C-alpha cells in the first residue's frame, strides 16, 4: 500500500515535469548575495508592489462596487487596481497543495532537490491557473459592470500579467535575492497602509462629520468641545476601543513571540562552544492563520460569485454555502457557511450575533491547529527533520549521543505540543482582535507583527553570518 501511494504521488508530481520549462522562473543566486544587495532587491520588490497597488486597471468604470473588503488585507489586494487579486492565487495554490499533502493524497520528500523543484513548479502552475480562474470570475460575474468583449479581454490580460509579476517578485525574494518572502512583505505593506488610513484618514465617517481616522476625529472632537464617549465605539469605523485593542494586540503578540523553550546544544567542531535551539511557543509562526484565513476568504469569494448569479439567489445549495444582504455600499454575509467563517467585525456585532462570533472563533482556532500540524511536515519543521538538520550541522545535545534518534526523541517532547498550543493561540488572538475592532483586522495585526519579528531575526542572523562566516553553517546559509 505504501509503495502504491508513493507511486501515485510520484505520478502526480511528474505531471508537472513537461510544463516546468515553460513556467517563468527566477534563478537562485549562484554566488553569495551580500546584505546590502538583499536589502536592495527586497526594496525593489516592495516598490513594484506599491506601484501596482496604485495603478488602476485600464478599461473598468472609475466607481466600482466593493464586494470583497474583508479579503483585501489577507490577500494584499486593492480594489480596481493591478493588485485586484493580490497574493490570493499564490496563497490559494499553496493551500490546495497543503491540503493534498496533509490528507496523504500526494507525498513529497522536501529533502530531495527534485521533489522540492517539482513541488515549487506545481505551486506556480496552481497559482497561474487560479489567477486566470479568479480574473474570469470577476469579469463574468459583473464585478466591473457590463464590459464589451475587447475590454473584458484587456482586463483579463492585465490581471493575468499582474498575477505573474507578483509570483516572480515572491520567488525573487524567497530564492535568496531578498529577505523573507514576497508574500509576507506584501501583507505587511497592506496592513501598514490600512492602519495608517484608520489613524489619519480625513474622509468624513459618521453623522457628526468626524473623520474616518481616529486621531483626526479625536482632534476634531476636542476642538469642538464634545465628549469623547462618541468615539468609544463607532460601529465599523475606527474607535478608541479599537485603538486600545490594537496596541494591546501588538504587545500580546510581541510577548508571545518571545516565549520559548531553549534546548542546550554543543558544537563538535568548536571545543567548548555552547548554543541553544529555541522552540518558540508560536513554533510555526503565522502561517496557519494565513492558510486558515485564505480558506475562509475563498469560501467568501466563490460563494459570493455563485450567489450573485441570477440563478444563485434561489438555489438551495448556493444559499447553504452563503447568501448576502446589502449593507452600506457592499454586500455582507447574512447566512450559510460563509456567515460563520467571516468575523462579525466589531464589538456591537458580536453582542448582537453571539452565535456567529462563537462559530467564527471555533472554526478559526480549529483550522489554525490543523494547518499547524500539516506545516510541521511540509515545512520541514517536524522532530525528525530538525534532528537531522542539527546533527548534519555538527550539533548535539550535551549528555546524549550524537545521534539523530536521540535528538529526535527529545524534540518530540516539545514540538508537537507547542505546535498545537501555538495554533490555538494565533487563532484566538486573531479572532478576539477582530471582535474588538483592531486597526488592520485581527489577522492583519497578527501577521504583521509576526512578519516584522521574522524580519528582525533574519536581519540579525544575516549580520552575524557576515561578521562571522563560520556561523553560516549553523544558520543553514
Amino acid at each position: 500500500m505504501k509503495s502504491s501511494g508513493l507511486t501515485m504521488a510520484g505520478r502526480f508530481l511528474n505531471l508537472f515535469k513537461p510544463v516546468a520549462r515553460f513556467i517563468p522562473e527566477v534563478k537562485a543566486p549562484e554566488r553569495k548575495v551580500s546584505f546590502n544587495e538583499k536589502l536592495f532587491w527586497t526594496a525593489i520588490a516592495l516598490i513594484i508592489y506599491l506601484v501596482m497597488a496604485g495603478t488602476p486597471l485600464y478599461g473598468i468604470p472609475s466607481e466600482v462596487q466593493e464586494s470583497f473588503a474583508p479579503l483585501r488585507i489577507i490577500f494584499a489586494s486593492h480594489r480596481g487596481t493591478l493588485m485586484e487579486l493580490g497574493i490570493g492565487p499564490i496563497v490559494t495554490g499553496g493551500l490546495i497543495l497543503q491540503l493534498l499533502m496533509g490528507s496523504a493524497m500526494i507525498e513529497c520528500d522536501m529533502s530531495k532537490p527534485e521533489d522540492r523543484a517539482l513541488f515549487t513548479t506545481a505551486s506556480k502552475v496552481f497559482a497561474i491557473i487560479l489567477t486566470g480562474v479568479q480574473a474570469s470570475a470577476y469579469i463574468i460575474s459583473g464585478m466591473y459592470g457590463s464590459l464589451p468583449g475587447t475590454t473584458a479581454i484587456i482586463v483579463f490580460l492585465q490581471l493575468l500579467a499582474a498575477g505573474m509579476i507578483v509570483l516572480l517578485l515572491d520567488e525573487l525574494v524567497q530564492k535568496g535575492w531578498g529577505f523573507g518572502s514576497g508574500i509576507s512583505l506584501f501583507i505587511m505593506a497592506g496592513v501598514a497602509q490600512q492602519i495608517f488610513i484608520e489613524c489619519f484618514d480625513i474622509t468624513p465617517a459618521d453623522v457628526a462629520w468626524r473623520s474616518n481616522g481616529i486621531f483626526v476625529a479625536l482632534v476634531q472632537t476636542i476642538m469642538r468641545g464634545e465628549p469623547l464617549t462618541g468615539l468609544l465605539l463607532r460601529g465599523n469605523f475606527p474607535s478608541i476601543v479599537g485603538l486600545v485593542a490594537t496596541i494591546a494586540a501588538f504587545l500580546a503578540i510581541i510577548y508571545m513571540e518571545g516565549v520559548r523553550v531553549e534546548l542546550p546544544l554543543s558544537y563538535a567542531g568548536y571545543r567548548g562552544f555552547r548554543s541553544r535551539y529555541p522552540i518558540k511557543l508560536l513554533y510555526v509562526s503565522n502561517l496557519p492563520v494565513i492558510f486558515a484565513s485564505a480558506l475562509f476568504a475563498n469560501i467568501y469569494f466563490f460563494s459570493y460569485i455563485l450567489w450573485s448569479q441570477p440563478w444563485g439567489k434561489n438555489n438551495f445549495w448556493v444559499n447553504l454555502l452563503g447568501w448576502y444582504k446589502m449593507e452600506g455600499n457592499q454586500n455582507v454575509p447574512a447566512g450559510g457557511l460563509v456567515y460563520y467563517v467571516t468575523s462579525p467585525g466589531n464589538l456591537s456585532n458580536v453582542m448582537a450575533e453571539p452565535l456567529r462570533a462563537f462559530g467564527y472563533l471555533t472554526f478559526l482556532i480549529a483550522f489554525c491547529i490543523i494547518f499547524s500540524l500539516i506545516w510541521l511536515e511540509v515545512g520541514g519543521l517536524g522532530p525528525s527533520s530538525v534532528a537531522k538538520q542539527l546533527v548534519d550541522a555538527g550539533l548535539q545535545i550535551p549528555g546524549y549521543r550524537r545521534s539523530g534518534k536521540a535528538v529526535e526523541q527529545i524534540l518530540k517532547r516539545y514540538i508537537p505540543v507547542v505546535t498545537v498550543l501555538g495554533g490555538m493561540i494565533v487563532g484566538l488572538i486573531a479572532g478576539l482582535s477582530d471582535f474588538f475592532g483592531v486597526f488592520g483586522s485581527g489577522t492583519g495585526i497578527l501577521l504583521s507583527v509576526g512578519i516584522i519579528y521574522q524580519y528582525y531575526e533574519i536581519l540579525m542572523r544575516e549580520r552575524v553570518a557576515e561578521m562571522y562566516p563560520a556561523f553560516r553553517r549553523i544558520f543553514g546559509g
Side-chain angles (χ1 to χ4, degrees):
M1 291 295 290
K2 180 70 174 174
S3 61
S4 172
L6 288 171
T7 303
M8 182 182 73
R11 284 203 301 266
F12 177 81
L13 289 176
N14 285 333
L15 291 174
F16 297 95
K17 275 187 178 179
V19 299
R21 67 186 71 177
F22 302 108
I23 301 295
E25 174 184 18
V26 175
K27 294 290 185 184
E30 297 177 355
R31 57 180 174 81
K32 179 181 173 297
V33 183
S34 69
F35 181 89
N36 289 336
E37 195 175 353
K38 285 186 177 183
L39 201 61
F40 171 79
W41 286 115
T42 303
I44 288 294
L46 180 59
I47 290 168
I48 293 173
Y49 163 78
L50 293 173
V51 169
M52 292 173 65
T55 305
L57 282 167
Y58 173 78
I60 67 168
S62 56
E63 293 295 329
V64 288
Q65 179 182 311
E66 175 62 277
S67 302
F68 302 123
L71 318 188
R72 297 293 174 195
I73 291 179
I74 304 302
F75 285 165
S77 65
H78 293 261
R79 183 63 169 144
T81 70
L82 291 174
M83 282 287 94
E84 180 75 78
L85 303 180
I87 61 171
I90 301 175
V91 175
T92 304
L95 173 63
I96 292 171
L97 286 174
Q98 300 296 326
L99 291 174
L100 288 174
M101 293 185 68
S103 60
M105 293 181 67
I106 63 170
E107 288 190 32
C108 173
D109 187 351
M110 299 300 280
S111 64
K112 295 180 179 178
E114 184 180 3
D115 279 16
R116 194 164 59 247
L118 285 174
F119 184 85
T120 301
T121 301
S123 300
K124 290 164 73 173
V125 170
F126 273 81
I128 293 168
I129 291 172
L130 285 165
T131 299
V133 169
Q134 291 188 12
S136 301
Y138 267 84
I139 295 166
I140 295 171
S141 64
M143 292 291 176
Y144 304 124
S146 180
L147 299 178
T150 306
T151 304
I153 293 172
I154 293 173
V155 171
F156 175 83
L157 292 176
Q158 289 177 84
L159 292 173
L160 189 62
M164 293 289 291
I165 292 172
V166 171
L167 188 64
L168 292 174
L169 289 175
D170 177 50
E171 193 172 17
L172 172 76
V173 177
Q174 281 205 59
K175 282 200 169 178
W177 292 103
F179 297 118
S181 76
I183 288 177
S184 297
L185 189 66
F186 303 151
I187 290 175
M188 185 171 63
V191 173
Q193 282 182 312
Q194 184 64 27
I195 292 175
F196 183 84
I197 290 171
E198 294 191 57
C199 287
F200 302 106
D201 186 17
I202 61 173
T203 307
D206 52 30
V207 292
W209 291 97
R210 287 174 295 215
S211 295
N212 181 51
I214 186 61
F215 288 121
V216 181
L218 274 170
V219 172
Q220 291 172 335
T221 303
I222 293 170
M223 290 180 67
R224 293 173 186 172
E226 298 173 352
L228 297 179
T229 51
L231 295 177
L232 284 176
L233 291 172
R234 290 202 298 169
N236 293 322
F237 298 110
S239 64
I240 292 176
V241 170
L243 176 63
V244 173
T246 302
I247 296 170
F250 263 107
L251 295 176
I253 298 164
I254 290 170
Y255 173 76
M256 292 296 177
E257 286 282 0
V259 177
R260 64 187 68 198
V261 174
E262 294 186 333
L263 296 182
L265 296 172
S266 61
Y267 189 54
Y270 293 85
R271 185 178 298 274
F273 174 78
R274 291 288 186 270
S275 181
R276 293 181 180 275
Y277 180 76
I279 302 176
K280 299 197 302 182
L281 179 59
L282 305 185
Y283 184 65
V284 289
S285 189
N286 50 36
L287 284 168
V289 81
I290 291 179
F291 285 123
S293 299
L295 177 63
F296 296 170
N298 277 284
I299 292 173
Y300 189 114
F301 177 82
F302 288 107
S303 67
Y304 181 81
I305 293 295
L306 293 172
W307 179 84
S308 65
Q309 301 307 304
W311 48 266
K313 293 178 175 61
N314 297 317
N315 186 292
F316 171 77
W317 297 107
V318 171
N319 286 332
L320 193 63
L321 188 60
W323 55 276
Y324 298 76
K325 64 181 180 182
M326 181 62 73
E327 196 172 278
N329 66 337
Q330 66 183 48
N331 286 298
V332 297
L337 176 62
V338 72
Y339 180 74
Y340 293 100
V341 297
T342 52
S343 171
N346 57 63
L347 208 53
S348 301
N349 290 346
V350 169
M351 291 185 286
E353 304 169 297
L355 189 61
R356 178 189 183 185
F358 177 77
Y360 170 72
L361 197 60
T362 302
F363 276 122
L364 184 59
I365 292 172
F367 277 99
C368 281
I369 293 172
I370 291 169
F371 286 121
S372 294
L373 293 171
I374 291 174
W375 191 252
L376 269 190
E377 298 306 319
V378 177
L381 298 173
S384 58
S385 300
V386 173
K388 185 177 184 305
Q389 291 167 15
L390 293 175
V391 172
D392 289 348
L395 292 159
Q396 66 184 74
I397 296 177
Y400 292 84
R401 291 184 298 107
R402 189 169 169 240
S403 159
K405 286 292 181 184
V407 177
E408 182 181 346
Q409 288 302 316
I410 295 171
L411 292 174
K412 279 183 176 178
R413 299 176 190 171
Y414 301 99
I415 289 179
V417 175
V418 298
T419 299
V420 173
L421 282 176
M424 289 176 60
I425 288 169
V426 295
L428 192 64
I429 291 175
L432 291 179
S433 298
D434 270 336
F435 294 167
F436 284 94
V438 299
F439 299 172
S441 83
T443 302
I445 291 293
L446 178 66
L447 296 181
S448 60
V449 174
I451 291 165
I452 291 169
Y453 199 89
Q454 284 176 4
Y455 268 100
Y456 168 77
E457 290 184 330
I458 290 169
L459 294 175
M460 291 300 101
R461 192 162 61 238
E462 286 285 332
R463 273 302 189 195
V464 171
E466 280 209 339
M467 294 171 64
Y468 306 101
F471 283 84
R472 188 168 291 277
R473 186 184 173 196
I474 299 173
F475 295 147

